[in-house]
Amino acid sequence: MSRRQVTSTRRFVDTGNFPFASALHSKSRSPPILSIALVAVGVILLIGYAYSGSGRFRVAAVSKIEGDYSCTLEVQRAIPLLKKAYGDSMHKVLHVGPDTCSVVSKLLKEEQTEAWGVEPYDIEDAEANCKNLVRNGVVRVADIKFPLPYRAKSFSLVIVSDALDYLSPKYLNKTLPELARVASDGLVIFAGNPGHQRAKVAELSKFGRPAKMRSSNWWIRFFVQTSLEENEAAIKKFEQAASKKSYQPACQVFHLNPYH
């Protein structure tokens, strides 16, 4: 479809039938400022389209940062906002992703919040506190490419960070439905933003492959394919809380409904 559109546009320009052709190529008929204005309007429309996605999903404005970053750290920053968005649904939370011990430890400090974690990678070099959480069964080390060791709707809210970026679509087709299966009220995904620095070479041995920073449109199409819908109520509350705090995430944040 995209090739057909490009060819059609080129034909219009060549024959002089393209509506803006004279504005773009004729200096005598229109002043340069008109051409600049048209280009500016086009850029604004493209940016608006990129952020609106398909119309069914909305993505929070993403801040521009340089260097290494972690969506797991972003989750910790966003906990107060998530509490505003999900309210009582924050009472039983599962976090899935690297360094889950840090997120679980922070969640356990919140009032009336129980938290568990799934660490997809080896924790041999983890701190003593993390190993204690594993020993006590609060955190599990498990390969998320396989079914999660929990019953359906075991948790009110499931939060995922820095894990899905390392999975190919083949495994995402299995993992994403599993994450939605064990959630009763909501699924929140913190995904890497295209253009941000990927995993260091030293981390490739741990993750198995470099991170794939996918666009919001890619994720939206994938959610539709797996029959996942946006959680409109949570999105609205999260955006309101973020606006009051002048918060802009360094990662893409998706709020999804679980399977019913």
Side-chain angles (χ1 to χ4, degrees), residues 9-158:
T9 301
R10 187 176 300 149
R11 188 185 304 119
F12 283 144
V13 174
D14 292 342
T15 59
N17 294 326
F18 187 60
F20 299 121
S22 60
L24 293 175
H25 295 292
S26 176
K27 293 184 179 179
S28 60
R29 294 183 182 181
S30 60
I33 191 171
L34 178 57
S35 299
I36 296 173
L38 289 173
V39 172
V41 170
V43 170
I44 292 173
L45 290 175
L46 287 174
I47 293 174
Y49 176 79
Y51 278 99
S52 64
S54 65
R56 295 182 57 192
F57 289 84
R58 296 194 300 278
V59 186
V62 180
S63 65
K64 295 181 179 180
I65 59 174
E66 297 179 355
D68 294 335
Y69 73 101
S70 165
C71 288
T72 296
L73 290 176
E74 194 67 35
V75 171
Q76 297 180 54
R77 285 182 58 210
I79 286 176
L81 307 179
L82 292 171
K83 291 190 71 174
K84 291 285 186 181
Y86 290 92
D88 293 339
S89 294
M90 285 287 288
H91 74 277
K92 196 172 184 180
V93 182
L94 174 69
H95 175 263
V96 178
D99 198 22
T100 189
C101 292
S102 62
V103 177
V104 170
S105 296
K106 193 172 182 69
L107 285 169
L108 290 174
K109 295 177 182 178
E110 300 290 328
E111 293 184 5
Q112 300 179 340
T113 300
E114 299 178 62
W116 288 264
V118 172
E119 169 60 62
Y121 306 105
D122 183 48
I123 61 166
E124 183 178 347
D125 299 328
E127 297 179 354
N129 176 59
C130 184
K131 291 183 178 180
N132 286 335
L133 290 173
V134 173
R135 200 160 28 244
N136 294 329
V138 177
V139 170
R140 295 194 182 192
V141 179
D143 190 337
I144 61 174
K145 294 193 294 290
F146 299 96
L148 296 173
Y150 303 108
R151 295 180 180 178
K153 303 185 185 302
S154 293
F155 307 94
S156 53
L157 186 67
V158 174

